[in-house]
Amino acid sequence: MLTPVLLRGASTRWRVLAALTAGGLSALAMPPFGLWPVLAATLPVLVGLIDAASEERSLRRRLGGAFASGWLFGMGYFLAGLWWIGEAFLVQADAFAWLMPFAVLLLPAGLALYIGLGCALAVLLWSRGWGRLLAFAGALTLTEWLRGFLLTGFPWNNFGYALANDLRFAQAASVVGLLGLCWLTLITLASPAALFDEEATPRGRRFPLALAVLLLALVWAGGQWRLASTEVGTVAGVHLRILQPDLPQDQKFRYDARRSVMDLYVATSESQGGLAGVTHLIWPESAFPFFYEREPEAQARIAAMLPPGALLITGAARLEPVPGQPRPKAYNSLRVIDARGEVIADADKVHLVPFGEYLPFQETLEALGFEQLTRQRGGFTAASHRQPMAIPGLPLAVPLICYEAIFPEELMPASAPGAARPGFLLNVSNDAWFGLTPGPYQHFEQARLRAVEQGLPLVRATNNGISAIVDPLGRIVGMLPLGVRGVLDGTLPLPLAPPIYTSIGNLIPHILALMSLLLALLLHRRQLHL
């Protein structure tokens, strides 16, 4: 059988250690490390663990063993890749520090269920030879897709981002999206597991690995050709300036610091020779520690700062009165302010962060003394839908506030047939919650891949980084690194013609996953009748 020598006959403790270690090492494939080849060593360990589970006599033990192996692998993977989430609970440590251990452990434990479920599905279709690789890739692609939308969804560090670290591989996302890259990652980087198949001929052991190398080489070469042969122009008459204030998160929401916050924003925005010639100044998410309409002084300062005809685009909370209700609705919004200091356009966040921007069963939990990290009484309200945002002097923008940029399928309505095609993705975020950790690097890569999928440039403004202008091929035109205060000046790249992915979405990866499972089933049934 395929089971590696180190796992054959191994004790339960040894298998647990192997699964956790392999999962933890797999996080090195994600930013800021980007060591995607490590998965060629760790994914075969998971395949070997499933193979060991498949040798159990009873179906219950086979399912249980495969699920446990997948869950442990996922626990190691998500714990090592998402530990930085705990940083957010230390920003207001007096209120939230006690929750940090729960968040750091419970979120990985919950996300690992999807990996466990995928492995349990795979073992049902397990067979000798390369059929096990088809079952593995098909099942885990399916469960990674489910992870993207069930229970509000959290597709962070999807396996597909391993190959997306390399822009040549990332170009495939214009056809198959993130989910297609996920399938490609799993089917190719798990292929070294075939080398342990003792029942196969030497040629049979090498064939899956050779095929995987050929597939990766073709995708890489296609991406290289696309990058080399595609020219991207710029939108005429647009001069962007992105502010990265690097404001400490513990000051960002202090109302008593509102004047010093505005001093910092204005002074940094006017650096580099002032704002002459700047057409659009962009500030990050939640720029103000106040509601803008309630602060005439802030309105006057912005009006005095902006040159005639220039616009400020900023993240800012927005209030909306509710007839008959004492408390207005609060929205996390993207707002456009003109040189008179007046708000001329708004776009509200659609996909809110659970426990960060709202609480499930909000009123009940608030009555018990709980509150979300933003400490906005009543929580934020989600907008009903997303639509392109009209900003004077710019093409239509797709507004993406914070982690809305990690959901590929939620951008599809913006490219729906018959709708006006947007000209760029506009992402404002506040990753200062997570300090100088891997989190902001991972967030940036996910936003950048949306540019490749949609064929649209990305303009990104964050509090502490990474702020950037990215062209529709995912190439960085300009960038402010993490933890740096300053401004980024640049032009706006033009979009490409709509890529295939914008028309068909996840159709191709769904076909790949289902065909993989179907072939695995046929091989499994054939083995049963031998």
Side-chain angles (χ1 to χ4, degrees), residues 273-509:
L275 289 169
V278 173
T279 58
H280 298 84
L281 173 63
I282 306 172
W283 289 358
E285 178 191 15
S286 303
F288 309 128
F290 50 77
F291 292 103
Y292 181 71
E293 282 82 359
R294 295 179 175 178
E295 299 293 328
E297 181 181 341
Q299 297 169 31
R301 293 201 66 180
I302 288 174
M305 174 189 65
L306 292 174
L311 297 174
L312 170 65
I313 305 168
T314 182
R318 181 180 75 85
L319 289 178
E320 181 179 284
V322 180
Q325 297 292 328
R327 182 190 299 168
K329 292 182 178 179
Y331 294 88
N332 187 357
S333 302
L334 188 62
R335 319 197 73 183
V336 181
I337 302 172
D338 66 15
R340 298 170 297 176
E342 298 180 359
V343 177
I344 61 171
D346 289 304
D348 300 322
K349 189 173 184 179
V350 177
H351 199 135
L352 300 178
V353 181
F355 302 99
E357 294 173 311
Y358 75 97
L359 295 174
F361 311 106
Q362 182 81 37
E363 292 185 2
T364 301
L365 290 182
E366 281 191 342
L368 294 174
F370 291 93
E371 55 186 346
Q372 57 280 335
L373 286 175
T374 56
R375 309 190 85 165
Q376 170 62 44
R377 185 68 179 170
F380 283 104
T381 299
S384 59
H385 63 283
R386 188 188 327 282
Q387 61 184 11
M389 186 179 192
I391 302 173
L394 293 176
L396 284 174
V398 180
L400 300 170
I401 299 174
C402 190
Y403 91 146
E404 287 185 312
I406 75 171
F407 298 96
E409 294 179 74
E410 292 189 9
L411 273 66
M412 299 308 294
S415 301
R421 177 161 164 79
F424 71 109
L425 307 175
L426 178 57
N427 180 213
V428 295
S429 189
N430 176 26
D431 291 350
W433 284 104
F434 310 110
L436 303 179
T437 68
Y441 293 98
Q442 295 170 5
H443 197 182
F444 172 67
E445 177 171 318
Q446 295 177 70
R448 183 169 70 154
L449 192 64
R450 302 292 85 78
V452 180
E453 291 169 341
Q454 297 293 322
L456 298 176
L458 167 71
V459 176
R460 190 168 194 264
T462 68
N463 180 15
N464 70 327
I466 300 168
S467 301
I469 299 172
V470 176
D471 80 3
L473 295 170
R475 295 177 297 203
I476 298 172
V477 177
M479 182 180 74
L480 289 169
L482 182 65
V484 171
R485 177 176 297 164
V487 295
L488 172 63
D489 284 11
T491 56
L492 177 63
L494 285 166
L496 300 177
I500 293 174
Y501 178 76
T502 64
S503 300
I504 63 175
N506 284 325
L507 177 62
I508 293 176

Side-chain angles (χ1 to χ4, degrees), residues 2-4 15 24 32 58 82 119 127 129 134 137 171 177 216 269 295 335 374 378 396 406 419 438 513:
L2 178 66
T3 311
R15 293 184 185 185
S58 73
L82 298 177
C119 292
S127 63
L134 292 170
Q171 299 311 303
L216 286 174
S269 297
E295 299 293 328
R335 319 197 73 183
T374 56
L396 284 174
I406 75 171

Side-chain angles (χ1 to χ4, degrees), residues 112-197:
L113 293 174
Y114 292 96
I115 310 298
L117 178 63
C119 292
L121 173 60
V123 82
L124 290 174
L125 308 176
W126 217 244
S127 63
R128 293 188 297 271
W130 52 271
R132 54 171 48 82
L133 299 178
L134 292 170
F136 180 77
L140 285 178
T141 298
L142 178 61
T143 53
E144 283 291 84
W145 171 65
L146 293 175
R147 183 162 69 90
F149 67 87
L150 289 183
L151 301 176
T152 80
F154 193 64
W156 201 282
N157 283 1
N158 179 293
F159 289 117
Y161 286 116
L163 291 181
N165 278 293
D166 188 318
L167 271 186
R168 286 149 298 198
F169 287 126
Q171 299 311 303
S174 65
V175 178
V176 299
L178 169 64
L179 196 63
L181 286 176
C182 177
W183 179 87
L184 178 65
T185 300
L186 293 167
I187 197 70
T188 57
L189 299 185
S191 63
L195 297 175
F196 298 98
D197 192 348

Side-chain angles (χ1 to χ4, degrees), residues 28-29 34-44 162-163 189 192:
L28 293 173
L35 302 177
W36 62 265
V38 75
L39 292 180
T42 59
L43 290 180
L163 291 181
L189 299 185

